[in-house]
Amino acid sequence: MKNSKKVILFLFALPVLLTAQSSTPTLESNAEKIAEVQTHADYVWTMVAAFLVFFMQAGFAMVEAGLTRAKNTVNILMKNLMDFSVGSLIFWAIGFGIMFGTTTTGFFGTDGFFLSDFTKDGDPWLFAFWLFQVVFATTAATIVSGAMAERTKFIGYIAYSAVITAIIYPVFGSWAWGSLYHGSGWLEGLGFIDFAGSTVVHSVGGWAALAGAIVLGPRIGKFDRNGRAKAIPGHNITLAALGTFILWFGWFGFNPGSTTAAITDIASIAVNTNLAAAGGAVAAMLTAWAVIKKPEATMAFNGALAGLVGITAGCANVSALSSVIIGLTSGVIVVLSVIFVERTLKIDDPVGAISVHGVCGAWGTLMAGVLDINGFSLSVVGVQLLGIVSAFVWTFTTAFILFKLIQKTIGLRVSPEEELEGLDVGEHGLECYPEFEKVSK
């Protein structure tokens, strides 16, 4: 009787035992599960990093608004908003295809416009990658806003923003980063090092800012009859400080996020990023203290940003000590560059964008080759110099022509009366601080 009960229980349990046996993990199934988890982590990290970089738009808006006069605040905020809004649409329609589309020449992509050719593949990674890239593209565009602040027509600025996102930034981006998706750029084929965009993003934005500031000319009252520069203080240093901290925070998405993978390298890249920013802030403060006899706050803000820009190229291939060196030197360079641009070149850049992004972007790109953790090589440094020069020639030339065309057609600069009154009322029909501006007038 007992034996018969055991037989019956065994027969009932047999399907369960067979099922359990068939679901026993194998090496292959474990590998698939691990790969699936890694893929999901890559998506999550890339998207979180993209969100952090998007938040940098708020940082740029705060820095630019704080370092300019109250009567132009609405105009600054609108330009930053439209940089991202117009830029997103243009990059979706044109820029992404030019930057990452397939190419036979190595100069620019020829498909993927409106993401149409790419979505046929059914690869969901496209959407994560596109979002991460569009926040970079609009960062390059918005850098120019500060250098052209307080005297630029809104419609002229929007036209510029559309063209840099559609053509100027994507073409150089395809040279340096095309193979990150379907492209293949000639510059990256030579071994050009620019991990997160000291040159691709920041110098491109900085050199476009240089072209725009030259074509526009200085603000009314910036230089006296003898050509000496006069200070035009910003209206809210608190906003500028807040913007600096936001940008510093967002850079933890900008640099570590450029791995587009949830890997352990994220930690060292984040540390390098932070050390360079800290070094830049300290060095700029000390340099300003020595040169202009005060530990000037806005110079320290720009020093932190200069350190961040400088480390962006080499954050994944230099040591922590090298990151400190890059930050310290960038902090010194940005102060001297701001003074040189203003006093020697007589170019009016209200926020120092040319020096922070153009000059320190080039410096950081060079240092990524000089301080390469894999060892010093003249050939590597030569490629870095080629990339720096190529970025300047391409961006400055095309941006200068673009700004001249805008100037001759729809107009680039507001009237003297509108500039004196403030762009908020003339361009947008409202004031940011109505009561304050009534008192100040």
Side-chain angles (χ1 to χ4, degrees), residues 64-72 149-151 218-223 228-237 296 298 342 348-351 413 419-420:
E64 293 168 17
L67 294 181
T68 52
R69 289 168 289 186
K71 62 184 179 180
N72 298 305
E150 303 200 294
R151 70 262 201 216
R219 290 168 291 176
I220 295 172
K222 178 61 184 175
F223 297 99
R228 288 191 295 265
K230 297 168 64 178
I232 302 179
H235 84 282
N236 195 323
I237 301 304
E296 210 275 331
T298 62
E342 182 177 273
D348 183 12
D349 178 0
V351 304
R413 183 160 183 158
E419 183 177 344
L420 292 172

PDB file of all heavy atoms in Angstrom, residues 64-72 149-151 218-223 228-237 296 298 342 348-351 413 419-420:
ATOM      1  N   GLU A  64      24.154  83.427 -18.591  1.00  0.00           N
ATOM      2  CA  GLU A  64      24.049  84.523 -19.557  1.00  0.00           C
ATOM      3  C   GLU A  64      23.146  85.638 -19.057  1.00  0.00           C
ATOM      4  O   GLU A  64      23.464  86.824 -19.197  1.00  0.00           O
ATOM      5  CB  GLU A  64      23.543  83.975 -20.891  1.00  0.00           C
ATOM      6  CG  GLU A  64      24.539  83.052 -21.573  1.00  0.00           C
ATOM      7  CD  GLU A  64      23.925  82.278 -22.736  1.00  0.00           C
ATOM      8  OE1 GLU A  64      22.838  82.690 -23.207  1.00  0.00           O
ATOM      9  OE2 GLU A  64      24.517  81.274 -23.154  1.00  0.00           O
ATOM     10  N   ALA A  65      22.026  85.261 -18.449  1.00  0.00           N
ATOM     11  CA  ALA A  65      21.120  86.283 -17.924  1.00  0.00           C
ATOM     12  C   ALA A  65      21.778  87.053 -16.780  1.00  0.00           C
ATOM     13  O   ALA A  65      21.674  88.287 -16.706  1.00  0.00           O
ATOM     14  CB  ALA A  65      19.818  85.638 -17.448  1.00  0.00           C
ATOM     15  N   GLY A  66      22.456  86.349 -15.896  1.00  0.00           N
ATOM     16  CA  GLY A  66      23.087  87.002 -14.753  1.00  0.00           C
ATOM     17  C   GLY A  66      24.200  87.950 -15.129  1.00  0.00           C
ATOM     18  O   GLY A  66      24.391  88.991 -14.483  1.00  0.00           O
ATOM     19  N   LEU A  67      24.936  87.620 -16.194  1.00  0.00           N
ATOM     20  CA  LEU A  67      26.093  88.431 -16.596  1.00  0.00           C
ATOM     21  C   LEU A  67      25.738  89.541 -17.578  1.00  0.00           C
ATOM     22  O   LEU A  67      26.626  90.246 -18.054  1.00  0.00           O
ATOM     23  CB  LEU A  67      27.178  87.525 -17.202  1.00  0.00           C
ATOM     24  CG  LEU A  67      27.818  86.521 -16.230  1.00  0.00           C
ATOM     25  CD1 LEU A  67      28.893  85.710 -16.941  1.00  0.00           C
ATOM     26  CD2 LEU A  67      28.402  87.218 -15.004  1.00  0.00           C
ATOM     27  N   THR A  68      24.453  89.694 -17.896  1.00  0.00           N
ATOM     28  CA  THR A  68      24.006  90.790 -18.762  1.00  0.00           C
ATOM     29  C   THR A  68      23.005  91.655 -18.000  1.00  0.00           C
ATOM     30  O   THR A  68      22.646  91.376 -16.863  1.00  0.00           O
ATOM     31  CB  THR A  68      23.381  90.245 -20.059  1.00  0.00           C
ATOM     32  OG1 THR A  68      22.363  89.278 -19.741  1.00  0.00           O
ATOM     33  CG2 THR A  68      24.436  89.569 -20.924  1.00  0.00           C
ATOM     34  N   ARG A  69      22.543  92.713 -18.646  1.00  0.00           N
ATOM     35  CA  ARG A  69      21.693  93.669 -17.943  1.00  0.00           C
ATOM     36  C   ARG A  69      20.243  93.211 -17.874  1.00  0.00           C
ATOM     37  O   ARG A  69      19.769  92.462 -18.735  1.00  0.00           O
ATOM     38  CB  ARG A  69      21.811  95.035 -18.628  1.00  0.00           C
ATOM     39  CG  ARG A  69      23.166  95.694 -18.392  1.00  0.00           C
ATOM     40  CD  ARG A  69      23.401  96.889 -19.284  1.00  0.00           C
ATOM     41  NE  ARG A  69      23.623  96.501 -20.676  1.00  0.00           N
ATOM     42  CZ  ARG A  69      23.965  97.356 -21.634  1.00  0.00           C
ATOM     43  NH1 ARG A  69      24.129  98.629 -21.356  1.00  0.00           N
ATOM     44  NH2 ARG A  69      24.142  96.918 -22.871  1.00  0.00           N
ATOM     45  N   ALA A  70      19.550  93.687 -16.864  1.00  0.00           N
ATOM     46  CA  ALA A  70      18.184  93.239 -16.583  1.00  0.00           C
ATOM     47  C   ALA A  70      17.256  93.453 -17.769  1.00  0.00           C
ATOM     48  O   ALA A  70      16.349  92.649 -18.017  1.00  0.00           O
ATOM     49  CB  ALA A  70      17.639  93.971 -15.353  1.00  0.00           C
ATOM     50  N   LYS A  71      17.474  94.509 -18.537  1.00  0.00           N
ATOM     51  CA  LYS A  71      16.576  94.863 -19.633  1.00  0.00           C
ATOM     52  C   LYS A  71      16.650  93.901 -20.803  1.00  0.00           C
ATOM     53  O   LYS A  71      15.857  94.010 -21.740  1.00  0.00           O
ATOM     54  CB  LYS A  71      16.896  96.281 -20.120  1.00  0.00           C
ATOM     55  CG  LYS A  71      18.309  96.445 -20.692  1.00  0.00           C
ATOM     56  CD  LYS A  71      18.585  97.893 -21.055  1.00  0.00           C
ATOM     57  CE  LYS A  71      19.998  98.087 -21.606  1.00  0.00           C
ATOM     58  NZ  LYS A  71      20.267  99.497 -21.951  1.00  0.00           N
ATOM     59  N   ASN A  72      17.577  92.930 -20.751  1.00  0.00           N
ATOM     60  CA  ASN A  72      17.713  91.955 -21.841  1.00  0.00           C
ATOM     61  C   ASN A  72      17.475  90.510 -21.365  1.00  0.00           C
ATOM     62  O   ASN A  72      17.755  89.571 -22.105  1.00  0.00           O
ATOM     63  CB  ASN A  72      19.112  92.059 -22.459  1.00  0.00           C
ATOM     64  CG  ASN A  72      19.367  93.423 -23.063  1.00  0.00           C
ATOM     65  OD1 ASN A  72      18.615  93.899 -23.901  1.00  0.00           O
ATOM     66  ND2 ASN A  72      20.436  94.082 -22.614  1.00  0.00           N
ATOM     67  N   ALA A 149      25.066  88.661 -26.940  1.00  0.00           N
ATOM     68  CA  ALA A 149      23.974  89.159 -26.108  1.00  0.00           C
ATOM     69  C   ALA A 149      23.825  90.677 -26.195  1.00  0.00           C
ATOM     70  O   ALA A 149      24.766  91.405 -26.461  1.00  0.00           O
ATOM     71  CB  ALA A 149      24.212  88.750 -24.657  1.00  0.00           C
ATOM     72  N   GLU A 150      22.612  91.140 -25.984  1.00  0.00           N
ATOM     73  CA  GLU A 150      22.231  92.536 -25.764  1.00  0.00           C
ATOM     74  C   GLU A 150      22.206  93.398 -27.021  1.00  0.00           C
ATOM     75  O   GLU A 150      21.967  94.605 -26.919  1.00  0.00           O
ATOM     76  CB  GLU A 150      23.139  93.193 -24.714  1.00  0.00           C
ATOM     77  CG  GLU A 150      23.128  92.460 -23.367  1.00  0.00           C
ATOM     78  CD  GLU A 150      23.591  93.314 -22.228  1.00  0.00           C
ATOM     79  OE1 GLU A 150      24.794  93.692 -22.208  1.00  0.00           O
ATOM     80  OE2 GLU A 150      22.771  93.611 -21.354  1.00  0.00           O
ATOM     81  N   ARG A 151      22.413  92.812 -28.200  1.00  0.00           N
ATOM     82  CA  ARG A 151      22.330  93.650 -29.410  1.00  0.00           C
ATOM     83  C   ARG A 151      21.932  92.861 -30.650  1.00  0.00           C
ATOM     84  O   ARG A 151      21.996  93.379 -31.771  1.00  0.00           O
ATOM     85  CB  ARG A 151      23.633  94.393 -29.661  1.00  0.00           C
ATOM     86  CG  ARG A 151      24.839  93.552 -30.113  1.00  0.00           C
ATOM     87  CD  ARG A 151      25.734  93.232 -28.984  1.00  0.00           C
ATOM     88  NE  ARG A 151      27.080  92.878 -29.439  1.00  0.00           N
ATOM     89  CZ  ARG A 151      27.825  91.942 -28.849  1.00  0.00           C
ATOM     90  NH1 ARG A 151      27.366  91.252 -27.818  1.00  0.00           N
ATOM     91  NH2 ARG A 151      29.042  91.706 -29.292  1.00  0.00           N
ATOM     92  N   PRO A 218      30.714  95.780 -31.076  1.00  0.00           N
ATOM     93  CA  PRO A 218      30.497  95.894 -29.624  1.00  0.00           C
ATOM     94  C   PRO A 218      29.183  96.585 -29.273  1.00  0.00           C
ATOM     95  O   PRO A 218      28.594  97.296 -30.091  1.00  0.00           O
ATOM     96  CB  PRO A 218      31.694  96.726 -29.164  1.00  0.00           C
ATOM     97  CG  PRO A 218      32.056  97.546 -30.359  1.00  0.00           C
ATOM     98  CD  PRO A 218      31.779  96.685 -31.553  1.00  0.00           C
ATOM     99  N   ARG A 219      28.762  96.384 -28.038  1.00  0.00           N
ATOM    100  CA  ARG A 219      27.587  97.080 -27.524  1.00  0.00           C
ATOM    101  C   ARG A 219      27.875  98.577 -27.403  1.00  0.00           C
ATOM    102  O   ARG A 219      29.016  99.003 -27.247  1.00  0.00           O
ATOM    103  CB  ARG A 219      27.217  96.532 -26.140  1.00  0.00           C
ATOM    104  CG  ARG A 219      26.654  95.134 -26.128  1.00  0.00           C
ATOM    105  CD  ARG A 219      26.594  94.571 -24.718  1.00  0.00           C
ATOM    106  NE  ARG A 219      27.945  94.314 -24.193  1.00  0.00           N
ATOM    107  CZ  ARG A 219      28.189  93.898 -22.952  1.00  0.00           C
ATOM    108  NH1 ARG A 219      27.190  93.721 -22.105  1.00  0.00           N
ATOM    109  NH2 ARG A 219      29.431  93.671 -22.558  1.00  0.00           N
ATOM    110  N   ILE A 220      26.832  99.348 -27.475  1.00  0.00           N
ATOM    111  CA  ILE A 220      26.962 100.791 -27.301  1.00  0.00           C
ATOM    112  C   ILE A 220      27.528 101.077 -25.906  1.00  0.00           C
ATOM    113  O   ILE A 220      27.028 100.583 -24.896  1.00  0.00           O
ATOM    114  CB  ILE A 220      25.590 101.485 -27.461  1.00  0.00           C
ATOM    115  CG1 ILE A 220      25.082 101.325 -28.907  1.00  0.00           C
ATOM    116  CG2 ILE A 220      25.688 102.966 -27.100  1.00  0.00           C
ATOM    117  CD1 ILE A 220      23.649 101.804 -29.095  1.00  0.00           C
ATOM    118  N   GLY A 221      28.601 101.849 -25.871  1.00  0.00           N
ATOM    119  CA  GLY A 221      29.207 102.227 -24.599  1.00  0.00           C
ATOM    120  C   GLY A 221      30.255 101.261 -24.089  1.00  0.00           C
ATOM    121  O   GLY A 221      30.826 101.496 -23.020  1.00  0.00           O
ATOM    122  N   LYS A 222      30.533 100.203 -24.823  1.00  0.00           N
ATOM    123  CA  LYS A 222      31.516  99.234 -24.348  1.00  0.00           C
ATOM    124  C   LYS A 222      32.936  99.788 -24.426  1.00  0.00           C
ATOM    125  O   LYS A 222      33.773  99.515 -23.557  1.00  0.00           O
ATOM    126  CB  LYS A 222      31.416  97.936 -25.162  1.00  0.00           C
ATOM    127  CG  LYS A 222      32.444  96.875 -24.776  1.00  0.00           C
ATOM    128  CD  LYS A 222      32.298  96.444 -23.318  1.00  0.00           C
ATOM    129  CE  LYS A 222      33.375  95.456 -22.908  1.00  0.00           C
ATOM    130  NZ  LYS A 222      33.306  95.123 -21.471  1.00  0.00           N
ATOM    131  N   PHE A 223      33.226 100.567 -25.467  1.00  0.00           N
ATOM    132  CA  PHE A 223      34.562 101.153 -25.630  1.00  0.00           C
ATOM    133  C   PHE A 223      34.440 102.665 -25.703  1.00  0.00           C
ATOM    134  O   PHE A 223      33.517 103.199 -26.339  1.00  0.00           O
ATOM    135  CB  PHE A 223      35.238 100.613 -26.895  1.00  0.00           C
ATOM    136  CG  PHE A 223      35.492  99.129 -26.864  1.00  0.00           C
ATOM    137  CD1 PHE A 223      34.631  98.241 -27.506  1.00  0.00           C
ATOM    138  CD2 PHE A 223      36.568  98.610 -26.174  1.00  0.00           C
ATOM    139  CE1 PHE A 223      34.856  96.876 -27.472  1.00  0.00           C
ATOM    140  CE2 PHE A 223      36.810  97.241 -26.133  1.00  0.00           C
ATOM    141  CZ  PHE A 223      35.943  96.375 -26.778  1.00  0.00           C
ATOM    142  N   ARG A 228      39.390 102.238 -25.121  1.00  0.00           N
ATOM    143  CA  ARG A 228      39.533 101.519 -23.861  1.00  0.00           C
ATOM    144  C   ARG A 228      38.211 100.856 -23.481  1.00  0.00           C
ATOM    145  O   ARG A 228      37.145 101.478 -23.578  1.00  0.00           O
ATOM    146  CB  ARG A 228      39.997 102.454 -22.747  1.00  0.00           C
ATOM    147  CG  ARG A 228      41.452 102.896 -22.867  1.00  0.00           C
ATOM    148  CD  ARG A 228      41.904 103.602 -21.592  1.00  0.00           C
ATOM    149  NE  ARG A 228      41.165 104.856 -21.406  1.00  0.00           N
ATOM    150  CZ  ARG A 228      41.615 106.045 -21.802  1.00  0.00           C
ATOM    151  NH1 ARG A 228      42.791 106.151 -22.411  1.00  0.00           N
ATOM    152  NH2 ARG A 228      40.897 107.125 -21.585  1.00  0.00           N
ATOM    153  N   ALA A 229      38.312  99.611 -23.045  1.00  0.00           N
ATOM    154  CA  ALA A 229      37.110  98.865 -22.681  1.00  0.00           C
ATOM    155  C   ALA A 229      36.536  99.389 -21.372  1.00  0.00           C
ATOM    156  O   ALA A 229      37.269  99.700 -20.433  1.00  0.00           O
ATOM    157  CB  ALA A 229      37.433  97.382 -22.545  1.00  0.00           C
ATOM    158  N   LYS A 230      35.214  99.479 -21.312  1.00  0.00           N
ATOM    159  CA  LYS A 230      34.510  99.902 -20.106  1.00  0.00           C
ATOM    160  C   LYS A 230      33.660  98.739 -19.599  1.00  0.00           C
ATOM    161  O   LYS A 230      33.053  98.008 -20.389  1.00  0.00           O
ATOM    162  CB  LYS A 230      33.625 101.109 -20.411  1.00  0.00           C
ATOM    163  CG  LYS A 230      34.402 102.334 -20.853  1.00  0.00           C
ATOM    164  CD  LYS A 230      33.483 103.404 -21.420  1.00  0.00           C
ATOM    165  CE  LYS A 230      32.521 103.930 -20.370  1.00  0.00           C
ATOM    166  NZ  LYS A 230      31.652 105.009 -20.937  1.00  0.00           N
ATOM    167  N   ALA A 231      33.616  98.563 -18.313  1.00  0.00           N
ATOM    168  CA  ALA A 231      32.831  97.468 -17.736  1.00  0.00           C
ATOM    169  C   ALA A 231      31.340  97.746 -17.881  1.00  0.00           C
ATOM    170  O   ALA A 231      30.881  98.875 -17.668  1.00  0.00           O
ATOM    171  CB  ALA A 231      33.178  97.303 -16.262  1.00  0.00           C
ATOM    172  N   ILE A 232      30.599  96.706 -18.276  1.00  0.00           N
ATOM    173  CA  ILE A 232      29.138  96.763 -18.289  1.00  0.00           C
ATOM    174  C   ILE A 232      28.667  95.609 -17.401  1.00  0.00           C
ATOM    175  O   ILE A 232      28.508  94.478 -17.860  1.00  0.00           O
ATOM    176  CB  ILE A 232      28.564  96.624 -19.717  1.00  0.00           C
ATOM    177  CG1 ILE A 232      29.107  97.730 -20.632  1.00  0.00           C
ATOM    178  CG2 ILE A 232      27.037  96.665 -19.686  1.00  0.00           C
ATOM    179  CD1 ILE A 232      28.599  97.655 -22.064  1.00  0.00           C
ATOM    180  N   PRO A 233      28.488  95.882 -16.111  1.00  0.00           N
ATOM    181  CA  PRO A 233      28.223  94.790 -15.162  1.00  0.00           C
ATOM    182  C   PRO A 233      26.908  94.069 -15.454  1.00  0.00           C
ATOM    183  O   PRO A 233      25.940  94.669 -15.925  1.00  0.00           O
ATOM    184  CB  PRO A 233      28.171  95.517 -13.806  1.00  0.00           C
ATOM    185  CG  PRO A 233      28.847  96.828 -14.030  1.00  0.00           C
ATOM    186  CD  PRO A 233      28.576  97.190 -15.447  1.00  0.00           C
ATOM    187  N   GLY A 234      26.913  92.782 -15.140  1.00  0.00           N
ATOM    188  CA  GLY A 234      25.681  92.022 -15.205  1.00  0.00           C
ATOM    189  C   GLY A 234      24.757  92.395 -14.065  1.00  0.00           C
ATOM    190  O   GLY A 234      25.184  93.003 -13.080  1.00  0.00           O
ATOM    191  N   HIS A 235      23.483  92.019 -14.173  1.00  0.00           N
ATOM    192  CA  HIS A 235      22.500  92.498 -13.201  1.00  0.00           C
ATOM    193  C   HIS A 235      22.286  91.545 -12.037  1.00  0.00           C
ATOM    194  O   HIS A 235      21.695  91.933 -11.025  1.00  0.00           O
ATOM    195  CB  HIS A 235      21.155  92.747 -13.893  1.00  0.00           C
ATOM    196  CG  HIS A 235      20.300  91.537 -14.053  1.00  0.00           C
ATOM    197  ND1 HIS A 235      20.531  90.587 -15.032  1.00  0.00           N
ATOM    198  CD2 HIS A 235      19.218  91.097 -13.341  1.00  0.00           C
ATOM    199  CE1 HIS A 235      19.617  89.636 -14.931  1.00  0.00           C
ATOM    200  NE2 HIS A 235      18.813  89.912 -13.918  1.00  0.00           N
ATOM    201  N   ASN A 236      22.764  90.290 -12.131  1.00  0.00           N
ATOM    202  CA  ASN A 236      22.444  89.339 -11.068  1.00  0.00           C
ATOM    203  C   ASN A 236      23.536  88.280 -10.958  1.00  0.00           C
ATOM    204  O   ASN A 236      23.498  87.258 -11.657  1.00  0.00           O
ATOM    205  CB  ASN A 236      21.084  88.692 -11.350  1.00  0.00           C
ATOM    206  CG  ASN A 236      20.519  87.981 -10.141  1.00  0.00           C
ATOM    207  OD1 ASN A 236      21.257  87.371  -9.363  1.00  0.00           O
ATOM    208  ND2 ASN A 236      19.208  88.046  -9.963  1.00  0.00           N
ATOM    209  N   ILE A 237      24.488  88.497 -10.088  1.00  0.00           N
ATOM    210  CA  ILE A 237      25.593  87.555  -9.916  1.00  0.00           C
ATOM    211  C   ILE A 237      25.103  86.251  -9.275  1.00  0.00           C
ATOM    212  O   ILE A 237      25.676  85.182  -9.499  1.00  0.00           O
ATOM    213  CB  ILE A 237      26.715  88.189  -9.061  1.00  0.00           C
ATOM    214  CG1 ILE A 237      27.229  89.470  -9.740  1.00  0.00           C
ATOM    215  CG2 ILE A 237      27.874  87.214  -8.883  1.00  0.00           C
ATOM    216  CD1 ILE A 237      27.708  89.268 -11.166  1.00  0.00           C
ATOM    217  N   GLU A 296      37.970  88.145  -8.371  1.00  0.00           N
ATOM    218  CA  GLU A 296      36.720  88.516  -9.037  1.00  0.00           C
ATOM    219  C   GLU A 296      35.830  87.290  -9.266  1.00  0.00           C
ATOM    220  O   GLU A 296      36.283  86.272  -9.796  1.00  0.00           O
ATOM    221  CB  GLU A 296      37.063  89.191 -10.368  1.00  0.00           C
ATOM    222  CG  GLU A 296      36.052  90.231 -10.815  1.00  0.00           C
ATOM    223  CD  GLU A 296      34.901  89.592 -11.567  1.00  0.00           C
ATOM    224  OE1 GLU A 296      35.121  88.549 -12.182  1.00  0.00           O
ATOM    225  OE2 GLU A 296      33.793  90.148 -11.529  1.00  0.00           O
ATOM    226  N   THR A 298      33.111  86.561 -11.217  1.00  0.00           N
ATOM    227  CA  THR A 298      32.746  86.074 -12.553  1.00  0.00           C
ATOM    228  C   THR A 298      33.923  85.385 -13.235  1.00  0.00           C
ATOM    229  O   THR A 298      33.726  84.464 -14.030  1.00  0.00           O
ATOM    230  CB  THR A 298      32.212  87.219 -13.438  1.00  0.00           C
ATOM    231  OG1 THR A 298      33.230  88.207 -13.623  1.00  0.00           O
ATOM    232  CG2 THR A 298      30.991  87.849 -12.807  1.00  0.00           C
ATOM    233  N   GLU A 342      39.088  91.250 -25.115  1.00  0.00           N
ATOM    234  CA  GLU A 342      38.440  92.538 -24.880  1.00  0.00           C
ATOM    235  C   GLU A 342      39.370  93.722 -25.126  1.00  0.00           C
ATOM    236  O   GLU A 342      39.019  94.674 -25.829  1.00  0.00           O
ATOM    237  CB  GLU A 342      37.912  92.586 -23.443  1.00  0.00           C
ATOM    238  CG  GLU A 342      37.172  93.865 -23.099  1.00  0.00           C
ATOM    239  CD  GLU A 342      36.617  93.828 -21.685  1.00  0.00           C
ATOM    240  OE1 GLU A 342      35.499  93.319 -21.497  1.00  0.00           O
ATOM    241  OE2 GLU A 342      37.327  94.304 -20.766  1.00  0.00           O
ATOM    242  N   ASP A 348      33.684  92.483 -28.162  1.00  0.00           N
ATOM    243  CA  ASP A 348      32.789  92.538 -27.006  1.00  0.00           C
ATOM    244  C   ASP A 348      32.091  91.187 -26.839  1.00  0.00           C
ATOM    245  O   ASP A 348      31.222  90.813 -27.632  1.00  0.00           O
ATOM    246  CB  ASP A 348      31.763  93.653 -27.209  1.00  0.00           C
ATOM    247  CG  ASP A 348      30.843  93.832 -26.012  1.00  0.00           C
ATOM    248  OD1 ASP A 348      31.139  93.262 -24.943  1.00  0.00           O
ATOM    249  OD2 ASP A 348      29.815  94.536 -26.160  1.00  0.00           O
ATOM    250  N   ASP A 349      32.476  90.470 -25.795  1.00  0.00           N
ATOM    251  CA  ASP A 349      31.884  89.168 -25.470  1.00  0.00           C
ATOM    252  C   ASP A 349      31.393  89.252 -24.027  1.00  0.00           C
ATOM    253  O   ASP A 349      32.169  89.065 -23.087  1.00  0.00           O
ATOM    254  CB  ASP A 349      32.950  88.073 -25.618  1.00  0.00           C
ATOM    255  CG  ASP A 349      32.446  86.685 -25.245  1.00  0.00           C
ATOM    256  OD1 ASP A 349      31.275  86.553 -24.861  1.00  0.00           O
ATOM    257  OD2 ASP A 349      33.245  85.729 -25.330  1.00  0.00           O
ATOM    258  N   PRO A 350      30.115  89.561 -23.819  1.00  0.00           N
ATOM    259  CA  PRO A 350      29.608  89.841 -22.473  1.00  0.00           C
ATOM    260  C   PRO A 350      29.834  88.746 -21.441  1.00  0.00           C
ATOM    261  O   PRO A 350      29.948  89.029 -20.248  1.00  0.00           O
ATOM    262  CB  PRO A 350      28.108  90.065 -22.706  1.00  0.00           C
ATOM    263  CG  PRO A 350      28.005  90.528 -24.124  1.00  0.00           C
ATOM    264  CD  PRO A 350      29.083  89.778 -24.848  1.00  0.00           C
ATOM    265  N   VAL A 351      29.896  87.484 -21.856  1.00  0.00           N
ATOM    266  CA  VAL A 351      30.015  86.392 -20.885  1.00  0.00           C
ATOM    267  C   VAL A 351      31.330  85.622 -20.995  1.00  0.00           C
ATOM    268  O   VAL A 351      31.552  84.668 -20.250  1.00  0.00           O
ATOM    269  CB  VAL A 351      28.830  85.406 -21.019  1.00  0.00           C
ATOM    270  CG1 VAL A 351      27.506  86.129 -20.878  1.00  0.00           C
ATOM    271  CG2 VAL A 351      28.883  84.630 -22.330  1.00  0.00           C
ATOM    272  N   ARG A 413      21.517  92.979 -36.240  1.00  0.00           N
ATOM    273  CA  ARG A 413      21.615  93.839 -35.051  1.00  0.00           C
ATOM    274  C   ARG A 413      20.395  94.739 -34.930  1.00  0.00           C
ATOM    275  O   ARG A 413      19.877  95.251 -35.930  1.00  0.00           O
ATOM    276  CB  ARG A 413      22.887  94.677 -35.116  1.00  0.00           C
ATOM    277  CG  ARG A 413      23.105  95.549 -33.887  1.00  0.00           C
ATOM    278  CD  ARG A 413      24.523  95.992 -33.726  1.00  0.00           C
ATOM    279  NE  ARG A 413      24.680  96.774 -32.494  1.00  0.00           N
ATOM    280  CZ  ARG A 413      25.827  96.953 -31.861  1.00  0.00           C
ATOM    281  NH1 ARG A 413      26.947  96.419 -32.334  1.00  0.00           N
ATOM    282  NH2 ARG A 413      25.886  97.667 -30.742  1.00  0.00           N
ATOM    283  N   GLU A 419      18.435  98.959 -28.652  1.00  0.00           N
ATOM    284  CA  GLU A 419      19.503  98.463 -27.792  1.00  0.00           C
ATOM    285  C   GLU A 419      19.547  99.220 -26.480  1.00  0.00           C
ATOM    286  O   GLU A 419      19.716  98.623 -25.402  1.00  0.00           O
ATOM    287  CB  GLU A 419      20.853  98.568 -28.503  1.00  0.00           C
ATOM    288  CG  GLU A 419      22.011  98.013 -27.698  1.00  0.00           C
ATOM    289  CD  GLU A 419      23.345  98.067 -28.443  1.00  0.00           C
ATOM    290  OE1 GLU A 419      23.344  98.254 -29.672  1.00  0.00           O
ATOM    291  OE2 GLU A 419      24.391  97.935 -27.773  1.00  0.00           O
ATOM    292  N   LEU A 420      19.377 100.546 -26.531  1.00  0.00           N
ATOM    293  CA  LEU A 420      19.396 101.360 -25.320  1.00  0.00           C
ATOM    294  C   LEU A 420      18.172 101.095 -24.451  1.00  0.00           C
ATOM    295  O   LEU A 420      18.263 101.084 -23.221  1.00  0.00           O
ATOM    296  CB  LEU A 420      19.484 102.845 -25.691  1.00  0.00           C
ATOM    297  CG  LEU A 420      20.816 103.290 -26.332  1.00  0.00           C
ATOM    298  CD1 LEU A 420      20.714 104.719 -26.831  1.00  0.00           C
ATOM    299  CD2 LEU A 420      21.970 103.156 -25.333  1.00  0.00           C
TER     300      LEU A 420
END
